[in-house]
Amino acid sequence: MSGYSRYLPPVLAGAPLGDLLKIFEKTLGGLPDGVPAHDSLAEEIAALDRLVDPWTTPERLLPWLASWVALEFPTLQGADLWDEYQRRRVISRIASVYRGRGRQSALNAYLDLYAVGAIRPRITLDVGRRLLAVAPSGAVSGLVTLGPLPGGAGGSPPGLIQPESIAVAADGGLFVGDRGLPSGVGVTAPSRVWRLDPSGRHDMGGTPPRPVPLVPETAFTRVVAVAVRPARAGRQETLYVLDEPGRLYAVAAPFQDRAATLVTSLATTGATFRAKAMTVDPASGDLLVLDAGDGPGAPNAPKVHTVRPDPLAVTRNALASVQAPLSLLVDRDGTLLVGDGGPQDPTGPEQYPGALLRVTRSGASWAVTPLPVGPLVAPTGLARGRDGRLYVVDVGLKPLLPSDAYPFICPVAEDAGVFQIAGDRAVRVTPPAQFVHPTGLAAAGDRLVVCDPGQPPGGGLAPYWSRVRPFQFNVVLHFAVDRLPEDETVRHRLLGTVVDNVSAIVDEQKPAHTLWELITSI
């Protein structure tokens, strides 16, 4: 007899009405009679709110719930590219992204949501943030973001374009080495050195006021490193500038309206000179220049040039076992820290990581000891913060520079970022997709400042000059080869699907007044 019979008058509670009520009881509330049926409608109604929650709705209802927020899951040959967790995650956050439509932050958030799953492409936006400030909280903001101003001398657009290196002055100001633009791109922008105040403003001059570089009469051939030698015992604070051919220049304080004096040339006849970093030993005042040479095992192996300016003396010490030196720091105990990108043509996953190396300077032979720190890939900048902690900026790509065969399909393609070294771990400090191709790091007060010249040219592709074009930005896609199918046909179709989806996202979410260009190859 149905339990609902107790709600009937006694004269009606028996058969046949009591038996008929069992049909309704089983449909609405469930009845343990051993006959399979759907769940209780009462329970379904009570849990209705769970159906519209992306974290609790049944998996089969995710496409239906996604349709409520105008979302389609990417697929390849009918199979989902996202796993269940990723689909739930995107549904739960997409509404907040829509509310910021037309803003860079929303576009970044959408692309960050997309760049997960089995494929997980590395997606970065080059919106022209040349210098970036990293707060102790890890928040990233643009310190220099504006493009070059038109109408400079000789048609040259004044202002910072592609910062390669950075150093901090005693007053907290910044010296930035700018690689400029090569000839033949329709815009004249030679390599220069700029002085900025702590807030990122250039030295200004002229009518109307425009950014003024230091020593504009000196023709640098791509500035690769800058370093500040502090004032001491009557010695002036001095800026040192190193360009690609190995010429070392000095500019004395107060810097503006001063000439650059050629100190020496570090290149030697018959040997490749590839400077990667320059710093000052605070104890001795010597300049230390990191030179990658011809790589490990070659006669012209990686080395450090030690330059004593007064009187001038240059010594060179080889760095045994260093693979691809990228960054240099004099630590508090006088030892050197070197950021090593490791083998740039890795044969397997065991060669994917980069490394931090400690160099003990003793006599002619310097000892190199790996530090057990991970995970790092391409540490291009090192700095000690005011808090004494060691920070690293890592590009996340291997090889670091684009290859000719597959410029954007790499053994390693992780988000660039700033990491704090905590014991034997490198802990990410900054959110993903904040940097394109960072090359320098400096501690300025309580914050860190990162140089980001943007995606480097290479791989047989045309140069990318969005930074000298108003209202244009680049979207750069890299893929990790281990995350892609081995079958060439399936791989090409998959990459095409990813590119199409990213393009659709950018078109929908970008600021209306901007143009954009996709930088990748599939």
Side-chain angles (χ1 to χ4, degrees), residues 126-133 142-149 159-164 176 178 202 435 438-440 449-454 466-469:
D126 187 355
V127 296
R129 299 201 299 180
R130 293 141 169 81
L131 286 184
L132 300 101
L143 193 62
V144 176
T145 59
L146 293 177
L149 301 174
L160 185 62
I161 298 178
Q162 293 188 299
E164 185 88 4
V176 183
D178 185 353
H202 292 74
F435 309 100
T439 58
V449 181
V450 180
C451 293
D452 193 344
S466 65
R467 293 189 173 196
V468 295
R469 296 170 181 164

PDB file of all heavy atoms in Angstrom, residues 126-133 142-149 159-164 176 178 202 435 438-440 449-454 466-469:
ATOM      1  N   ASP A 126      51.986  40.951 -26.519  1.00  0.00           N
ATOM      2  CA  ASP A 126      52.962  42.035 -26.538  1.00  0.00           C
ATOM      3  C   ASP A 126      52.201  43.316 -26.816  1.00  0.00           C
ATOM      4  O   ASP A 126      51.947  43.684 -27.963  1.00  0.00           O
ATOM      5  CB  ASP A 126      54.026  41.796 -27.608  1.00  0.00           C
ATOM      6  CG  ASP A 126      55.153  42.828 -27.544  1.00  0.00           C
ATOM      7  OD1 ASP A 126      55.033  43.762 -26.734  1.00  0.00           O
ATOM      8  OD2 ASP A 126      56.125  42.691 -28.300  1.00  0.00           O
ATOM      9  N   VAL A 127      51.821  44.003 -25.729  1.00  0.00           N
ATOM     10  CA  VAL A 127      51.069  45.246 -25.846  1.00  0.00           C
ATOM     11  C   VAL A 127      51.970  46.454 -25.639  1.00  0.00           C
ATOM     12  O   VAL A 127      51.490  47.570 -25.459  1.00  0.00           O
ATOM     13  CB  VAL A 127      49.897  45.277 -24.839  1.00  0.00           C
ATOM     14  CG1 VAL A 127      48.899  44.183 -25.144  1.00  0.00           C
ATOM     15  CG2 VAL A 127      50.406  45.147 -23.407  1.00  0.00           C
ATOM     16  N   GLY A 128      53.298  46.223 -25.674  1.00  0.00           N
ATOM     17  CA  GLY A 128      54.230  47.330 -25.583  1.00  0.00           C
ATOM     18  C   GLY A 128      54.668  47.678 -24.185  1.00  0.00           C
ATOM     19  O   GLY A 128      55.201  48.767 -23.960  1.00  0.00           O
ATOM     20  N   ARG A 129      54.468  46.792 -23.215  1.00  0.00           N
ATOM     21  CA  ARG A 129      54.954  47.064 -21.861  1.00  0.00           C
ATOM     22  C   ARG A 129      56.450  46.757 -21.826  1.00  0.00           C
ATOM     23  O   ARG A 129      56.870  45.623 -21.631  1.00  0.00           O
ATOM     24  CB  ARG A 129      54.188  46.234 -20.831  1.00  0.00           C
ATOM     25  CG  ARG A 129      52.707  46.532 -20.816  1.00  0.00           C
ATOM     26  CD  ARG A 129      52.046  46.121 -19.517  1.00  0.00           C
ATOM     27  NE  ARG A 129      52.155  44.702 -19.257  1.00  0.00           N
ATOM     28  CZ  ARG A 129      51.649  44.108 -18.168  1.00  0.00           C
ATOM     29  NH1 ARG A 129      51.026  44.836 -17.259  1.00  0.00           N
ATOM     30  NH2 ARG A 129      51.768  42.821 -17.991  1.00  0.00           N
ATOM     31  N   ARG A 130      57.243  47.801 -21.985  1.00  0.00           N
ATOM     32  CA  ARG A 130      58.679  47.621 -22.151  1.00  0.00           C
ATOM     33  C   ARG A 130      59.391  47.345 -20.836  1.00  0.00           C
ATOM     34  O   ARG A 130      60.214  46.457 -20.735  1.00  0.00           O
ATOM     35  CB  ARG A 130      59.260  48.874 -22.810  1.00  0.00           C
ATOM     36  CG  ARG A 130      58.771  49.059 -24.240  1.00  0.00           C
ATOM     37  CD  ARG A 130      58.514  50.545 -24.502  1.00  0.00           C
ATOM     38  NE  ARG A 130      58.297  50.813 -25.904  1.00  0.00           N
ATOM     39  CZ  ARG A 130      57.143  50.629 -26.556  1.00  0.00           C
ATOM     40  NH1 ARG A 130      56.100  50.150 -25.909  1.00  0.00           N
ATOM     41  NH2 ARG A 130      57.028  50.902 -27.834  1.00  0.00           N
ATOM     42  N   LEU A 131      59.110  48.154 -19.840  1.00  0.00           N
ATOM     43  CA  LEU A 131      59.612  47.930 -18.486  1.00  0.00           C
ATOM     44  C   LEU A 131      58.423  47.624 -17.595  1.00  0.00           C
ATOM     45  O   LEU A 131      57.398  48.316 -17.663  1.00  0.00           O
ATOM     46  CB  LEU A 131      60.343  49.156 -17.945  1.00  0.00           C
ATOM     47  CG  LEU A 131      61.735  49.481 -18.496  1.00  0.00           C
ATOM     48  CD1 LEU A 131      62.315  50.677 -17.758  1.00  0.00           C
ATOM     49  CD2 LEU A 131      62.664  48.299 -18.398  1.00  0.00           C
ATOM     50  N   LEU A 132      58.573  46.618 -16.757  1.00  0.00           N
ATOM     51  CA  LEU A 132      57.475  46.220 -15.880  1.00  0.00           C
ATOM     52  C   LEU A 132      57.954  46.197 -14.447  1.00  0.00           C
ATOM     53  O   LEU A 132      59.075  45.754 -14.158  1.00  0.00           O
ATOM     54  CB  LEU A 132      56.925  44.849 -16.274  1.00  0.00           C
ATOM     55  CG  LEU A 132      56.373  44.759 -17.703  1.00  0.00           C
ATOM     56  CD1 LEU A 132      57.386  44.105 -18.623  1.00  0.00           C
ATOM     57  CD2 LEU A 132      55.064  44.003 -17.738  1.00  0.00           C
ATOM     58  N   ALA A 133      57.114  46.672 -13.544  1.00  0.00           N
ATOM     59  CA  ALA A 133      57.418  46.683 -12.117  1.00  0.00           C
ATOM     60  C   ALA A 133      56.691  45.537 -11.431  1.00  0.00           C
ATOM     61  O   ALA A 133      55.495  45.314 -11.681  1.00  0.00           O
ATOM     62  CB  ALA A 133      57.009  48.016 -11.493  1.00  0.00           C
ATOM     63  N   GLY A 142      52.859  48.044 -15.729  1.00  0.00           N
ATOM     64  CA  GLY A 142      53.736  48.611 -16.734  1.00  0.00           C
ATOM     65  C   GLY A 142      54.397  49.875 -16.231  1.00  0.00           C
ATOM     66  O   GLY A 142      53.729  50.818 -15.808  1.00  0.00           O
ATOM     67  N   LEU A 143      55.726  49.907 -16.259  1.00  0.00           N
ATOM     68  CA  LEU A 143      56.463  51.097 -15.843  1.00  0.00           C
ATOM     69  C   LEU A 143      56.692  52.019 -17.037  1.00  0.00           C
ATOM     70  O   LEU A 143      56.589  53.235 -16.933  1.00  0.00           O
ATOM     71  CB  LEU A 143      57.790  50.698 -15.212  1.00  0.00           C
ATOM     72  CG  LEU A 143      58.557  51.781 -14.453  1.00  0.00           C
ATOM     73  CD1 LEU A 143      57.743  52.282 -13.267  1.00  0.00           C
ATOM     74  CD2 LEU A 143      59.894  51.235 -13.974  1.00  0.00           C
ATOM     75  N   VAL A 144      57.006  51.441 -18.192  1.00  0.00           N
ATOM     76  CA  VAL A 144      57.101  52.177 -19.454  1.00  0.00           C
ATOM     77  C   VAL A 144      56.269  51.414 -20.467  1.00  0.00           C
ATOM     78  O   VAL A 144      56.578  50.270 -20.812  1.00  0.00           O
ATOM     79  CB  VAL A 144      58.547  52.309 -19.953  1.00  0.00           C
ATOM     80  CG1 VAL A 144      58.581  53.001 -21.307  1.00  0.00           C
ATOM     81  CG2 VAL A 144      59.392  53.072 -18.951  1.00  0.00           C
ATOM     82  N   THR A 145      55.191  52.032 -20.937  1.00  0.00           N
ATOM     83  CA  THR A 145      54.256  51.341 -21.817  1.00  0.00           C
ATOM     84  C   THR A 145      53.990  52.077 -23.115  1.00  0.00           C
ATOM     85  O   THR A 145      53.498  51.472 -24.069  1.00  0.00           O
ATOM     86  CB  THR A 145      52.910  51.125 -21.100  1.00  0.00           C
ATOM     87  OG1 THR A 145      52.373  52.395 -20.723  1.00  0.00           O
ATOM     88  CG2 THR A 145      53.090  50.285 -19.846  1.00  0.00           C
ATOM     89  N   LEU A 146      54.256  53.374 -23.157  1.00  0.00           N
ATOM     90  CA  LEU A 146      53.914  54.151 -24.343  1.00  0.00           C
ATOM     91  C   LEU A 146      54.899  53.884 -25.470  1.00  0.00           C
ATOM     92  O   LEU A 146      56.099  53.680 -25.237  1.00  0.00           O
ATOM     93  CB  LEU A 146      53.895  55.637 -24.021  1.00  0.00           C
ATOM     94  CG  LEU A 146      52.795  56.112 -23.069  1.00  0.00           C
ATOM     95  CD1 LEU A 146      52.948  57.590 -22.796  1.00  0.00           C
ATOM     96  CD2 LEU A 146      51.418  55.811 -23.638  1.00  0.00           C
ATOM     97  N   GLY A 147      54.394  53.918 -26.710  1.00  0.00           N
ATOM     98  CA  GLY A 147      55.242  53.763 -27.870  1.00  0.00           C
ATOM     99  C   GLY A 147      56.055  55.001 -28.139  1.00  0.00           C
ATOM    100  O   GLY A 147      55.881  56.047 -27.501  1.00  0.00           O
ATOM    101  N   PRO A 148      56.996  54.898 -29.070  1.00  0.00           N
ATOM    102  CA  PRO A 148      57.836  56.051 -29.413  1.00  0.00           C
ATOM    103  C   PRO A 148      57.001  57.215 -29.915  1.00  0.00           C
ATOM    104  O   PRO A 148      55.984  57.027 -30.588  1.00  0.00           O
ATOM    105  CB  PRO A 148      58.738  55.506 -30.521  1.00  0.00           C
ATOM    106  CG  PRO A 148      58.628  54.031 -30.436  1.00  0.00           C
ATOM    107  CD  PRO A 148      57.297  53.723 -29.868  1.00  0.00           C
ATOM    108  N   LEU A 149      57.446  58.407 -29.582  1.00  0.00           N
ATOM    109  CA  LEU A 149      56.747  59.603 -30.039  1.00  0.00           C
ATOM    110  C   LEU A 149      57.222  59.976 -31.437  1.00  0.00           C
ATOM    111  O   LEU A 149      58.406  59.852 -31.759  1.00  0.00           O
ATOM    112  CB  LEU A 149      57.014  60.758 -29.077  1.00  0.00           C
ATOM    113  CG  LEU A 149      56.600  60.519 -27.627  1.00  0.00           C
ATOM    114  CD1 LEU A 149      57.046  61.681 -26.762  1.00  0.00           C
ATOM    115  CD2 LEU A 149      55.110  60.296 -27.517  1.00  0.00           C
ATOM    116  N   GLY A 159      62.251  57.704 -27.512  1.00  0.00           N
ATOM    117  CA  GLY A 159      61.607  56.905 -26.485  1.00  0.00           C
ATOM    118  C   GLY A 159      62.070  55.469 -26.524  1.00  0.00           C
ATOM    119  O   GLY A 159      62.580  54.976 -27.530  1.00  0.00           O
ATOM    120  N   LEU A 160      61.902  54.802 -25.410  1.00  0.00           N
ATOM    121  CA  LEU A 160      62.346  53.426 -25.239  1.00  0.00           C
ATOM    122  C   LEU A 160      61.528  52.484 -26.111  1.00  0.00           C
ATOM    123  O   LEU A 160      60.296  52.548 -26.137  1.00  0.00           O
ATOM    124  CB  LEU A 160      62.211  53.047 -23.767  1.00  0.00           C
ATOM    125  CG  LEU A 160      62.715  51.690 -23.319  1.00  0.00           C
ATOM    126  CD1 LEU A 160      64.206  51.561 -23.556  1.00  0.00           C
ATOM    127  CD2 LEU A 160      62.389  51.493 -21.844  1.00  0.00           C
ATOM    128  N   ILE A 161      62.201  51.583 -26.838  1.00  0.00           N
ATOM    129  CA  ILE A 161      61.508  50.654 -27.729  1.00  0.00           C
ATOM    130  C   ILE A 161      61.699  49.205 -27.284  1.00  0.00           C
ATOM    131  O   ILE A 161      60.746  48.506 -26.978  1.00  0.00           O
ATOM    132  CB  ILE A 161      61.981  50.824 -29.187  1.00  0.00           C
ATOM    133  CG1 ILE A 161      61.655  52.223 -29.690  1.00  0.00           C
ATOM    134  CG2 ILE A 161      61.312  49.789 -30.094  1.00  0.00           C
ATOM    135  CD1 ILE A 161      62.124  52.495 -31.104  1.00  0.00           C
ATOM    136  N   GLN A 162      62.967  48.755 -27.243  1.00  0.00           N
ATOM    137  CA  GLN A 162      63.239  47.354 -26.918  1.00  0.00           C
ATOM    138  C   GLN A 162      64.335  47.281 -25.863  1.00  0.00           C
ATOM    139  O   GLN A 162      65.514  47.121 -26.182  1.00  0.00           O
ATOM    140  CB  GLN A 162      63.641  46.574 -28.167  1.00  0.00           C
ATOM    141  CG  GLN A 162      62.496  46.444 -29.174  1.00  0.00           C
ATOM    142  CD  GLN A 162      62.845  45.509 -30.325  1.00  0.00           C
ATOM    143  OE1 GLN A 162      63.785  45.754 -31.062  1.00  0.00           O
ATOM    144  NE2 GLN A 162      62.091  44.440 -30.462  1.00  0.00           N
ATOM    145  N   PRO A 163      63.968  47.393 -24.578  1.00  0.00           N
ATOM    146  CA  PRO A 163      64.971  47.378 -23.514  1.00  0.00           C
ATOM    147  C   PRO A 163      65.629  46.013 -23.369  1.00  0.00           C
ATOM    148  O   PRO A 163      64.953  44.991 -23.248  1.00  0.00           O
ATOM    149  CB  PRO A 163      64.172  47.738 -22.260  1.00  0.00           C
ATOM    150  CG  PRO A 163      62.775  47.295 -22.584  1.00  0.00           C
ATOM    151  CD  PRO A 163      62.596  47.519 -24.050  1.00  0.00           C
ATOM    152  N   GLU A 164      66.947  46.001 -23.384  1.00  0.00           N
ATOM    153  CA  GLU A 164      67.704  44.758 -23.304  1.00  0.00           C
ATOM    154  C   GLU A 164      68.291  44.536 -21.912  1.00  0.00           C
ATOM    155  O   GLU A 164      68.414  43.406 -21.455  1.00  0.00           O
ATOM    156  CB  GLU A 164      68.837  44.794 -24.335  1.00  0.00           C
ATOM    157  CG  GLU A 164      69.646  43.528 -24.446  1.00  0.00           C
ATOM    158  CD  GLU A 164      69.054  42.541 -25.429  1.00  0.00           C
ATOM    159  OE1 GLU A 164      68.056  42.876 -26.087  1.00  0.00           O
ATOM    160  OE2 GLU A 164      69.597  41.437 -25.544  1.00  0.00           O
ATOM    161  N   VAL A 176      68.709  52.227 -18.771  1.00  0.00           N
ATOM    162  CA  VAL A 176      68.171  51.145 -19.593  1.00  0.00           C
ATOM    163  C   VAL A 176      68.889  51.127 -20.931  1.00  0.00           C
ATOM    164  O   VAL A 176      68.949  52.148 -21.633  1.00  0.00           O
ATOM    165  CB  VAL A 176      66.655  51.311 -19.823  1.00  0.00           C
ATOM    166  CG1 VAL A 176      66.110  50.137 -20.623  1.00  0.00           C
ATOM    167  CG2 VAL A 176      65.925  51.433 -18.492  1.00  0.00           C
ATOM    168  N   ASP A 178      68.801  50.077 -24.674  1.00  0.00           N
ATOM    169  CA  ASP A 178      67.747  49.857 -25.663  1.00  0.00           C
ATOM    170  C   ASP A 178      68.396  49.321 -26.946  1.00  0.00           C
ATOM    171  O   ASP A 178      69.272  49.968 -27.518  1.00  0.00           O
ATOM    172  CB  ASP A 178      67.040  51.188 -25.939  1.00  0.00           C
ATOM    173  CG  ASP A 178      65.842  51.056 -26.869  1.00  0.00           C
ATOM    174  OD1 ASP A 178      65.619  49.960 -27.410  1.00  0.00           O
ATOM    175  OD2 ASP A 178      65.151  52.075 -27.061  1.00  0.00           O
ATOM    176  N   HIS A 202      61.267  59.533 -18.651  1.00  0.00           N
ATOM    177  CA  HIS A 202      62.538  59.828 -19.304  1.00  0.00           C
ATOM    178  C   HIS A 202      63.088  61.188 -18.890  1.00  0.00           C
ATOM    179  O   HIS A 202      62.341  62.071 -18.456  1.00  0.00           O
ATOM    180  CB  HIS A 202      62.352  59.861 -20.832  1.00  0.00           C
ATOM    181  CG  HIS A 202      62.041  58.538 -21.463  1.00  0.00           C
ATOM    182  ND1 HIS A 202      60.815  57.924 -21.363  1.00  0.00           N
ATOM    183  CD2 HIS A 202      62.811  57.717 -22.226  1.00  0.00           C
ATOM    184  CE1 HIS A 202      60.837  56.787 -22.041  1.00  0.00           C
ATOM    185  NE2 HIS A 202      62.029  56.642 -22.575  1.00  0.00           N
ATOM    186  N   PHE A 435      54.742  38.478 -19.208  1.00  0.00           N
ATOM    187  CA  PHE A 435      55.949  38.858 -19.931  1.00  0.00           C
ATOM    188  C   PHE A 435      56.008  38.121 -21.265  1.00  0.00           C
ATOM    189  O   PHE A 435      55.505  36.997 -21.386  1.00  0.00           O
ATOM    190  CB  PHE A 435      57.206  38.517 -19.125  1.00  0.00           C
ATOM    191  CG  PHE A 435      57.183  39.028 -17.714  1.00  0.00           C
ATOM    192  CD1 PHE A 435      56.865  38.190 -16.653  1.00  0.00           C
ATOM    193  CD2 PHE A 435      57.469  40.353 -17.426  1.00  0.00           C
ATOM    194  CE1 PHE A 435      56.829  38.642 -15.355  1.00  0.00           C
ATOM    195  CE2 PHE A 435      57.442  40.828 -16.126  1.00  0.00           C
ATOM    196  CZ  PHE A 435      57.126  39.973 -15.083  1.00  0.00           C
ATOM    197  N   PRO A 438      61.363  38.353 -21.383  1.00  0.00           N
ATOM    198  CA  PRO A 438      62.143  39.212 -20.491  1.00  0.00           C
ATOM    199  C   PRO A 438      63.637  38.901 -20.556  1.00  0.00           C
ATOM    200  O   PRO A 438      64.036  37.736 -20.649  1.00  0.00           O
ATOM    201  CB  PRO A 438      61.572  38.889 -19.107  1.00  0.00           C
ATOM    202  CG  PRO A 438      60.996  37.519 -19.240  1.00  0.00           C
ATOM    203  CD  PRO A 438      60.477  37.437 -20.638  1.00  0.00           C
ATOM    204  N   THR A 439      64.468  39.960 -20.501  1.00  0.00           N
ATOM    205  CA  THR A 439      65.907  39.781 -20.648  1.00  0.00           C
ATOM    206  C   THR A 439      66.721  40.392 -19.520  1.00  0.00           C
ATOM    207  O   THR A 439      67.937  40.237 -19.507  1.00  0.00           O
ATOM    208  CB  THR A 439      66.391  40.420 -21.964  1.00  0.00           C
ATOM    209  OG1 THR A 439      66.053  41.808 -21.959  1.00  0.00           O
ATOM    210  CG2 THR A 439      65.759  39.752 -23.168  1.00  0.00           C
ATOM    211  N   GLY A 440      66.133  41.109 -18.603  1.00  0.00           N
ATOM    212  CA  GLY A 440      66.902  41.746 -17.551  1.00  0.00           C
ATOM    213  C   GLY A 440      66.067  41.948 -16.308  1.00  0.00           C
ATOM    214  O   GLY A 440      64.843  42.078 -16.379  1.00  0.00           O
ATOM    215  N   VAL A 449      62.262  45.405 -11.226  1.00  0.00           N
ATOM    216  CA  VAL A 449      61.974  45.970 -12.536  1.00  0.00           C
ATOM    217  C   VAL A 449      62.501  44.994 -13.590  1.00  0.00           C
ATOM    218  O   VAL A 449      63.652  44.554 -13.517  1.00  0.00           O
ATOM    219  CB  VAL A 449      62.613  47.358 -12.722  1.00  0.00           C
ATOM    220  CG1 VAL A 449      62.265  47.919 -14.089  1.00  0.00           C
ATOM    221  CG2 VAL A 449      62.130  48.311 -11.635  1.00  0.00           C
ATOM    222  N   VAL A 450      61.651  44.675 -14.563  1.00  0.00           N
ATOM    223  CA  VAL A 450      61.960  43.682 -15.585  1.00  0.00           C
ATOM    224  C   VAL A 450      61.988  44.348 -16.956  1.00  0.00           C
ATOM    225  O   VAL A 450      61.080  45.110 -17.299  1.00  0.00           O
ATOM    226  CB  VAL A 450      60.911  42.546 -15.589  1.00  0.00           C
ATOM    227  CG1 VAL A 450      61.234  41.506 -16.658  1.00  0.00           C
ATOM    228  CG2 VAL A 450      60.836  41.888 -14.215  1.00  0.00           C
ATOM    229  N   CYS A 451      63.026  44.068 -17.745  1.00  0.00           N
ATOM    230  CA  CYS A 451      63.089  44.494 -19.143  1.00  0.00           C
ATOM    231  C   CYS A 451      62.389  43.453 -20.003  1.00  0.00           C
ATOM    232  O   CYS A 451      62.623  42.253 -19.853  1.00  0.00           O
ATOM    233  CB  CYS A 451      64.537  44.593 -19.628  1.00  0.00           C
ATOM    234  SG  CYS A 451      65.511  45.872 -18.878  1.00  0.00           S
ATOM    235  N   ASP A 452      61.574  43.918 -20.933  1.00  0.00           N
ATOM    236  CA  ASP A 452      60.910  43.002 -21.862  1.00  0.00           C
ATOM    237  C   ASP A 452      60.944  43.594 -23.263  1.00  0.00           C
ATOM    238  O   ASP A 452      60.099  44.413 -23.629  1.00  0.00           O
ATOM    239  CB  ASP A 452      59.467  42.753 -21.437  1.00  0.00           C
ATOM    240  CG  ASP A 452      58.836  41.578 -22.172  1.00  0.00           C
ATOM    241  OD1 ASP A 452      59.396  41.156 -23.207  1.00  0.00           O
ATOM    242  OD2 ASP A 452      57.789  41.079 -21.726  1.00  0.00           O
ATOM    243  N   PRO A 453      61.919  43.200 -24.090  1.00  0.00           N
ATOM    244  CA  PRO A 453      62.002  43.757 -25.445  1.00  0.00           C
ATOM    245  C   PRO A 453      61.016  43.144 -26.422  1.00  0.00           C
ATOM    246  O   PRO A 453      60.953  43.563 -27.577  1.00  0.00           O
ATOM    247  CB  PRO A 453      63.438  43.433 -25.861  1.00  0.00           C
ATOM    248  CG  PRO A 453      63.785  42.212 -25.082  1.00  0.00           C
ATOM    249  CD  PRO A 453      63.051  42.335 -23.770  1.00  0.00           C
ATOM    250  N   GLY A 454      60.234  42.153 -25.986  1.00  0.00           N
ATOM    251  CA  GLY A 454      59.281  41.515 -26.890  1.00  0.00           C
ATOM    252  C   GLY A 454      59.873  40.328 -27.618  1.00  0.00           C
ATOM    253  O   GLY A 454      61.035  39.974 -27.438  1.00  0.00           O
ATOM    254  N   SER A 466      55.290  45.888 -34.001  1.00  0.00           N
ATOM    255  CA  SER A 466      54.071  46.495 -33.470  1.00  0.00           C
ATOM    256  C   SER A 466      54.391  47.639 -32.508  1.00  0.00           C
ATOM    257  O   SER A 466      53.578  48.541 -32.322  1.00  0.00           O
ATOM    258  CB  SER A 466      53.238  45.445 -32.740  1.00  0.00           C
ATOM    259  OG  SER A 466      53.918  44.955 -31.595  1.00  0.00           O
ATOM    260  N   ARG A 467      55.573  47.638 -31.900  1.00  0.00           N
ATOM    261  CA  ARG A 467      55.890  48.662 -30.897  1.00  0.00           C
ATOM    262  C   ARG A 467      56.110  50.040 -31.498  1.00  0.00           C
ATOM    263  O   ARG A 467      56.233  51.016 -30.752  1.00  0.00           O
ATOM    264  CB  ARG A 467      57.111  48.232 -30.099  1.00  0.00           C
ATOM    265  CG  ARG A 467      56.827  47.014 -29.234  1.00  0.00           C
ATOM    266  CD  ARG A 467      57.953  46.725 -28.293  1.00  0.00           C
ATOM    267  NE  ARG A 467      57.584  45.668 -27.362  1.00  0.00           N
ATOM    268  CZ  ARG A 467      58.233  45.410 -26.243  1.00  0.00           C
ATOM    269  NH1 ARG A 467      59.273  46.147 -25.910  1.00  0.00           N
ATOM    270  NH2 ARG A 467      57.851  44.433 -25.461  1.00  0.00           N
ATOM    271  N   VAL A 468      56.226  50.139 -32.804  1.00  0.00           N
ATOM    272  CA  VAL A 468      56.338  51.458 -33.422  1.00  0.00           C
ATOM    273  C   VAL A 468      55.107  51.763 -34.267  1.00  0.00           C
ATOM    274  O   VAL A 468      55.119  52.690 -35.067  1.00  0.00           O
ATOM    275  CB  VAL A 468      57.616  51.561 -34.286  1.00  0.00           C
ATOM    276  CG1 VAL A 468      58.844  51.458 -33.414  1.00  0.00           C
ATOM    277  CG2 VAL A 468      57.644  50.496 -35.380  1.00  0.00           C
ATOM    278  N   ARG A 469      54.046  50.990 -34.066  1.00  0.00           N
ATOM    279  CA  ARG A 469      52.796  51.222 -34.784  1.00  0.00           C
ATOM    280  C   ARG A 469      51.700  51.513 -33.777  1.00  0.00           C
ATOM    281  O   ARG A 469      51.457  50.697 -32.879  1.00  0.00           O
ATOM    282  CB  ARG A 469      52.426  50.000 -35.629  1.00  0.00           C
ATOM    283  CG  ARG A 469      53.432  49.715 -36.736  1.00  0.00           C
ATOM    284  CD  ARG A 469      53.178  48.380 -37.390  1.00  0.00           C
ATOM    285  NE  ARG A 469      54.152  48.106 -38.434  1.00  0.00           N
ATOM    286  CZ  ARG A 469      54.371  46.910 -38.959  1.00  0.00           C
ATOM    287  NH1 ARG A 469      53.684  45.869 -38.532  1.00  0.00           N
ATOM    288  NH2 ARG A 469      55.270  46.743 -39.901  1.00  0.00           N
TER     289      ARG A 469
END
